[in-house]
Structures are given as C-alpha cells and as structure tokens.
Amino acid sequence: MMLSAIGDHKHPAARDFQSSNPDEVLDYVTRNLSPHRMKVSQPGSMSAKLQCFDIISSQIVDIQYGTDVWIEAADLGSNYLIHAGLSGTTHIWSDGQAARIDPSNLHITSPGADSRIHMSPQCRHLAVRIAASAFEEHLTRCMNIPVNRPLVFYPGQQGARELPEAWRQLLRHMIDQSRLVPVLMGDTRVQRHYSMLMLEMLLSNYCNSYS
C-alpha cells in the first residue's frame, strides 16, 4: 500500500515562522497556541523562530523569541498547555504561585488558570496545547475512569523524575518524523497513536485530580 493511501491527511505536518515584528509574532502565537498579551523589553532585538505541528486535537509549538518578553496568557478555554524547557530558565506565575520552567521539569497550565510568563533571550520552549475533550475521552475509554469532576494538573508534583526527558524525546521524535516523512505523519491514524501516547504519559506520570 502506498503511503498516500494510508488514510486521511487533514492536518499539515509542519509550519515554520520567523519574524522580528512583535505584532506579527503576537498574532501568530495567538492563532496557533493561545490568546495572550505580550510585552517586549527591546522590540528591535526580537528574532522569533517558531515551528508548529498539528497532531489531532493538539498543537506542538517549538518557540523562541530571541529577546526578553513578558507574556500574560488569557483564558485557555477548554485546553491544557504543557511547557517543556529546552534551554534557559523561564519564570511563570500561575494562580498566585511562582515556578520555574527549565529542562529538568514540565509545567502544565490547566483551563481557568491565570498565568504570567517571563522568557529571557536564551529561553526556548516546546509548548503543547491539548484539548480537554482529548483527556476526558482517554480517561473514559482507555483508563476506564468516569469523568465526574474537572481534570486539574498540579505543577511541581510530577510523579516520575524521568517524565520531562521522556516527554521532550517524544516530542523531538514526532517533530523529526514530521520533517522526514510528512505524508505518514499527516495520516489521521498515525496521529491518533501519537496523541494517545502523549495523553497516557501525562495522565499516568504527572500528578492530577484523577491520579
């Protein structure tokens, strides 16, 4: 069977974006990740680079601004935002609690949580937005857990120390595959497999209200 005949290919495998215009960057990140406000300390020094990947009900964004930025995230709606640091240290204030995001941890923002983020020029992130409906379906169908209350992740309480590295390696693999074999990674069934792997990894290893 030819790869082009494997299944539906409704999701673009990868999109690249570069800009030194803060307004363009803000608009692009808002459309591809989450609505937010952004303050740039030195607008003339911005050199933003983003790579975006769609996986069923999720979006993966490899993001670096190249300058000092403050971000105030708006309501995520029915979505979760998973932050994984690749370089530098990001500071985040969420619901009144301060935390750091670096390569040693993951930080998950749940729906309804307010957050303020400071990224330095050295910071680079892999940010993943996952729809709440995907988590709820996985809890019900795959883990046989009835969903009767909101799913909340508790930052700073990840259950497995290996989780941050495993998560980054999984995302890197998905990104590499999207570059090498975009037709295969555009297939709905292949994307569903990777989506389930992401959901299982987080629900089973990051402390949450259904742990």
Side-chain angles (χ1 to χ4, degrees), residues 90-101 105 107 116 155-156:
T90 295
H91 296 272
I92 182 169
W93 293 263
S94 184
D95 284 348
Q97 295 187 346
R100 294 159 58 96
I101 302 172
N105 63 18
H107 188 283
R116 189 166 183 250

Side-chain angles (χ1 to χ4, degrees), residues 103 108 164:
I108 301 181

Side-chain angles (χ1 to χ4, degrees), residues 54-128:
D54 296 332
I55 303 292
I56 302 294
S57 56
S58 307
Q59 282 74 42
I60 302 172
V61 181
D62 182 337
I63 181 170
Q64 52 185 325
Y65 291 103
T67 190
D68 195 73
V69 298
W70 288 86
I71 298 166
E72 291 188 22
D75 188 353
L76 291 171
S78 298
N79 296 285
Y80 295 80
L81 197 59
I82 301 93
H83 310 264
L86 293 178
S87 61
T89 298
T90 295
H91 296 272
I92 182 169
W93 293 263
S94 184
D95 284 348
Q97 295 187 346
R100 294 159 58 96
I101 302 172
D102 58 43
S104 71
N105 63 18
L106 293 182
H107 188 283
I108 301 181
T109 304
S110 299
D114 296 324
S115 60
R116 189 166 183 250
I117 300 171
H118 176 231
M119 293 179 67
S120 70
Q122 296 75 32
C123 288
R124 182 182 173 193
H125 273 183
L126 283 173
V128 183

Side-chain angles (χ1 to χ4, degrees), residues 22-39 46 50 63 65 69-76 81 115-117 119:
D23 291 333
E24 288 182 355
V25 175
L26 177 61
D27 176 69
Y28 189 84
V29 178
T30 292
R31 286 186 288 107
N32 286 275
L33 192 60
S34 68
H36 66 286
R37 294 185 295 274
M38 181 174 67
K39 179 180 178 181
M46 174 166 277
L50 291 91
I63 181 170
Y65 291 103
V69 298
W70 288 86
I71 298 166
E72 291 188 22
D75 188 353
L76 291 171
L81 197 59
S115 60
R116 189 166 183 250
I117 300 171
M119 293 179 67

